[in-house]
Amino acid sequence: METNNRTDVTLVMEEQGEQAMSRRKLLKSLGIAGAALAAGSLITQRTDAAAFESVTGSVYGLAEDGCCSPDEFVINTTIAVLRAATAANPDHVHFVRDLAQEGHFRYDSSDTTTADNTGTVLVSASGLRFKRLYSGALNAKWFGAKGDGVSDDTAALQKAVDIAQDRGDTLYLPTADYMISAPIVIGASKRSIRIVGDGYHKGSWIRAHSSITPAAPLKAAFLFDDSKVAERFEFSDIVIQGETGKFEYGIYTKKISHSLFRRIRVVQTKVAAIGIGYGWCNDIETCELSFNFGDGIFFTADNVNMLNVVNTKLFSNDGFAANLANSSLTVRFNGCSIEKNKVGGIYTKMLNTPLDISDCYFEDNGSVGYQLQNPNRLIRSCIIINGNTAPNIIANAYPTGAVRITNNIVSVSSDESFVACYSAGSSLEIGNNTFVRYKTPAVTYSLLRTGTSKTGLGAKVNNLRIYGNGVWENHKTAMTLKTLWIEDLGQATTLLHSAWLQGVPEPNYAPAPSTFTSVFSGGGGAIAPSATKFNGNDVYELSGAANTDVFGFSINLADYPRLAGKYVYIAFYARASAASTGAVAYTSQLSMNTTAYTPDTNWRLISYVDLMPASGTVSFGLRKISASAGSILYVSLPVLKEVGAATNSFIEG
């Protein structure tokens, strides 16, 4: 040996019966590869004996004449020996053979400050720094994670995450059963990383340690500190096992962008599998979020923008498959399997525009249902679109924008309707969906359930289009598909006059106002032609009393059998001569709707929705309400059509 310093780590190894080489002999044996090593290139880690011989033969340049053997130039050692060393040669390579922590280390004589982290830096008792030589991902087991299903791996995993973020590396979780007693915290202000395992079917598992109970669960298995918007993170090929609710969430963040959740499985969390908030362009892809005691996906904050949920299984969660509880801009579900979620499939509460649900499979969602208020009702639907800020309240304060629900397969069981929508302020499209019967007797199933609040806040369903939906041929005798289910007609302020339903004919059943008579006495007055015009159309005046009779017309269903049992809307354009004057629509079944005085004298659309009986006569009309008998209500373009019939541009406006 070239040194007489008996505290050199190479001599420590010789005292243990191991062999080492001098720097000169090592480089001579290594040749070109040795020069590269001396220059600081990486040595690939291999752990099994056969692979080690192969690596030393190819990387270190062993000659076929047997000039040297592996243990002549790589020092075979352990972590404990390196930590006990008091001297070392920076040109020597040390192979640590500790199980699951194997790898090559080299002494860095220039470093006197880096802390020992077990995985990539080992510090001896005398302050020597040995650095791991590696390329590619960091291995969680290098940092002391046991993964034996018993030991608490929290500190080791947290250290591994911290080092990965310091370096911007990928963190690899090899197949094992990792137990944690505190959330693994991810610094949103630090470098982005990938956390990857061996696949959610194989076994890179994260579980709660035995010291954690469902009564005092951890916030999450992986918890972002939300110090800023986390950018470009990835979780893939791991399993998060909540173990009867020992985690509130599998992964939780309120701020994240351009990140990917791929091939992860999250089960048995207490609140939701994935909690995701403010950010852009996040993807949940080919995941399984199942058997959770709350939701599969939960929006933790406003502005969850550009979220794609693709090819993901949302199965048997006690809450919603996806609870869009806060506002968002563009959310897409494509190719997902949404099955047996007890409260419902997809629920959106606030402003979400657009919302696109396509090419998914729905089965048996809503067995428990969701309880709404104002008015109270239980909703059992695959998709619930409410558009509200307050929990459980039906109102139109935050109408959802464009909604497209197309090309899905729906297996009907405990759900009563496919879509329950109380807010689609821009448009709602339900098209080309196929329905089958699942483990139920013959049923009547609604494509769309909507209605209004008895508090006067009505549903907003604009530009409704329903087309191309049908029952699978073999199930047509067991299922009747009903297009509409409209509730609270007595308070209807829905804008379903702008709907288009495939197969609904266009005829306008309202006669010209010149034929209108009093269909409900309530104050007198008269209706007469006016000298004014509305967009070239005739206009009539209601006048002669502060609150006039209802002037309109009657429909005898014996003469109009097509309308029997159908939803119809009545609409008029009306303009008051003074701001203290208003108009109310009327049907003999529902009486008058409640429209306040207008704040100005512009033309306005006054509408009402009603369900025609199987037989009999129903009257429709319009009434002037005013603080003065001297005011006038101008009326034009009366319409009575089935809901879903195409209408002219004046009414659609």
Side-chain angles (χ1 to χ4, degrees):
M1 303 300 292
E2 291 185 338
T3 177
N4 292 322
N5 185 351
R6 301 305 297 176
T7 60
D8 190 298
V9 69
T10 61
L11 300 184
V12 172
M13 297 303 301
E14 289 176 353
E15 291 171 359
Q16 293 188 357
E18 308 289 352
Q19 295 179 344
M21 289 188 70
S22 68
R23 176 174 177 267
R24 182 176 61 253
K25 188 174 181 180
L26 173 63
L27 295 179
K28 181 179 179 181
S29 300
L30 292 175
I32 295 175
L37 174 62
S41 64
L42 301 178
I43 302 173
T44 302
Q45 176 203 355
R46 299 295 294 272
T47 58
D48 58 282
F52 179 75
E53 292 176 4
S54 173
V55 169
T56 55
S58 61
V59 176
Y60 304 139
L62 293 183
E64 294 182 0
D65 59 7
C67 70
C68 49
S69 62
D71 60 1
E72 288 183 296
F73 56 85
V74 176
I75 301 167
N76 195 356
T77 185
T78 65
I79 291 175
V81 168
L82 290 184
R83 283 175 170 159
T86 57
N89 189 328
D91 293 321
H92 290 171
V93 177
H94 310 278
F95 179 73
V96 166
R97 63 176 185 269
D98 297 69
L99 184 64
Q101 295 174 288
E102 299 92 342
H104 298 86
F105 286 76
R106 188 168 59 191
Y107 166 51
D108 184 354
S109 59
S110 66
D111 187 355
T112 60
T113 59
T114 304
D116 189 319
N117 62 33
T118 302
T120 59
V121 179
L122 300 173
V123 180
S124 74
S126 59
L128 306 178
R129 266 72 180 173
F130 295 92
K131 305 288 184 66
R132 182 184 289 272
L133 305 176
Y134 75 98
S135 64
L138 294 170
N139 189 318
K141 289 196 172 183
W142 292 349
F143 299 87
K146 301 299 182 185
D148 57 12
V150 177
S151 303
D152 188 346
D153 289 323
T154 307
L157 291 179
Q158 187 64 66
K159 189 181 297 182
V161 167
D162 292 343
I163 298 302
Q165 289 205 264
D166 288 343
R167 300 174 62 96
D169 284 343
T170 294
L171 176 61
Y172 168 54
L173 305 178
T175 295
D177 205 353
Y178 303 96
M179 312 295 285
I180 60 173
S181 58
I184 305 303
V185 178
I186 298 173
S189 299
K190 297 180 180 179
R191 292 182 182 180
S192 59
I193 59 173
R194 300 173 66 238
I195 299 177
V196 302
D198 282 326
Y200 60 80
H201 290 299
K202 189 172 182 182
S204 297
W205 289 65
I206 305 292
R207 299 179 186 266
H209 188 260
S210 59
S211 60
I212 305 301
T213 66
L218 302 181
K219 179 69 174 181
F222 293 100
L223 178 66
F224 282 82
D225 64 11
D226 294 329
S227 53
K228 70 168 192 176
V229 178
E231 293 273 359
R232 297 175 178 86
F233 285 81
E234 179 181 336
F235 296 84
S236 63
D237 296 291
I238 59 176
V239 177
I240 299 174
Q241 166 60 263
E243 294 193 322
T244 65
K246 292 184 179 182
F247 296 143
E248 289 186 2
Y249 297 86
I251 300 170
Y252 181 89
T253 175
K254 283 189 173 181
K255 303 175 182 179
I256 192 167
S257 288
H258 299 99
S259 294
L260 175 62
F261 307 85
R262 180 171 58 187
R263 294 191 303 272
I264 63 173
R265 183 171 182 250
V266 186
V267 296
Q268 293 191 328
T269 59
K270 195 166 190 175
V271 179
I274 295 177
I276 187 170
Y278 173 89
W280 311 265
C281 302
N282 296 297
D283 298 296
I284 299 173
E285 175 188 309
T286 321
C287 295
E288 181 184 348
L289 312 176
S290 300
F291 303 106
N292 295 282
F293 298 102
D295 303 318
I297 299 168
F298 180 78
F299 282 9
T300 60
D302 282 344
N303 299 316
V304 185
N305 300 327
M306 307 303 294
L307 175 69
N308 296 302
V309 185
V310 181
N311 297 338
T312 289
K313 181 179 181 180
L314 297 146
F315 179 78
S316 198
N317 298 290
D318 286 355
F320 289 103
N323 188 347
L324 284 57
N326 288 282
S327 66
S328 66
L329 173 64
T330 305
V331 178
R332 180 171 67 103
F333 292 84
N334 180 259
C336 296
S337 178
I338 301 172
E339 303 177 54
K340 300 184 187 303
N341 299 283
K342 292 183 180 178
V343 176
I346 297 171
Y347 173 56
T348 174
K349 184 174 72 174
M350 291 181 64
L351 179 64
N352 295 277
T353 178
L355 174 63
D356 191 334
I357 304 168
S358 60
D359 301 296
C360 295
Y361 176 74
F362 291 86
E363 179 183 298
D364 195 20
N365 296 286
S367 59
V368 173
Y370 189 54
Q371 184 67 48
L372 292 173
Q373 301 173 15
N374 281 356
N376 291 324
R377 60 177 52 128
L378 185 68
I379 303 294
R380 290 192 175 99
S381 292
C382 293
I383 301 164
I384 302 175
I385 303 169
N386 190 4
N388 217 346
T389 52
N392 304 336
I393 304 297
I394 301 174
N396 61 3
Y398 284 83
T400 299
V403 180
R404 188 171 71 99
I405 303 170
T406 58
N407 302 323
N408 300 284
I409 297 177
V410 184
S411 185
V412 174
S413 181
S414 54
D415 43 316
E416 300 168 324
S417 60
F418 180 39
V419 180
C421 179
Y422 300 94
S423 181
S426 176
S427 63
L428 173 62
E429 179 181 351
I430 305 174
N432 296 331
N433 300 285
T434 300
F435 298 83
V436 299
R437 180 177 59 88
Y438 174 74
K439 295 183 179 178
T440 60
V443 294
T444 298
Y445 190 72
S446 296
L447 278 172
L448 173 63
R449 178 178 182 176
T450 188
T452 60
S453 167
K454 290 178 181 176
T455 61
L457 291 172
K460 283 194 173 181
V461 182
N462 282 335
N463 299 312
L464 172 66
R465 289 177 57 84
I466 299 180
Y467 61 90
N469 304 283
V471 177
W472 188 40
E473 188 67 29
N474 290 352
H475 287 186
K476 285 185 175 180
T477 59
M479 181 183 299
T480 300
L481 197 61
K482 184 172 69 172
T483 303
L484 291 175
W485 173 1
I486 304 176
E487 303 163 312
D488 302 318
L489 294 172
Q491 295 290 331
T493 57
T494 56
L495 300 183
L496 289 172
H497 54 267
S498 59
W500 179 78
L501 309 182
Q502 187 178 40
V504 176
E506 188 177 345
N508 179 7
Y509 298 95
S514 60
T515 66
F516 283 11
T517 60
S518 175
V519 294
F520 179 80
S521 298
I527 184 169
S530 172
T532 63
K533 294 284 186 179
F534 173 56
N535 289 334
N537 294 279
D538 291 339
V539 174
Y540 288 77
E541 299 177 0
L542 270 66
S543 60
N547 301 312
T548 66
D549 288 355
V550 175
F551 291 94
F553 57 93
S554 298
I555 291 289
N556 186 337
L557 288 167
D559 300 326
Y560 299 89
R562 165 73 199 184
L563 295 180
K566 301 295 179 61
Y567 286 106
V568 296
Y569 66 85
I570 180 173
F572 302 85
Y573 264 97
R575 181 177 73 83
S577 65
S580 61
T581 300
V584 293
Y586 167 88
T587 81
S588 57
Q589 295 189 120
L590 302 174
S591 190
M592 286 171 277
N593 64 5
T594 54
T595 302
Y597 294 162
T598 59
D600 51 45
T601 57
N602 295 325
W603 283 99
R604 299 179 185 278
L605 183 66
I606 309 298
S607 64
Y608 215 179
V609 176
D610 200 357
L611 176 63
M612 299 295 279
S615 61
T617 298
V618 181
S619 297
F620 301 90
L622 192 70
R623 182 186 196 190
K624 184 197 85 167
I625 56 173
S626 178
S628 169
S631 66
I632 297 172
L633 182 70
Y634 300 98
V635 180
S636 184
L637 290 172
V639 168
L640 178 69
K641 290 191 175 185
E642 287 186 53
V643 171
T647 56
N648 63 53
S649 60
F650 299 134
I651 296 298
E652 288 177 347

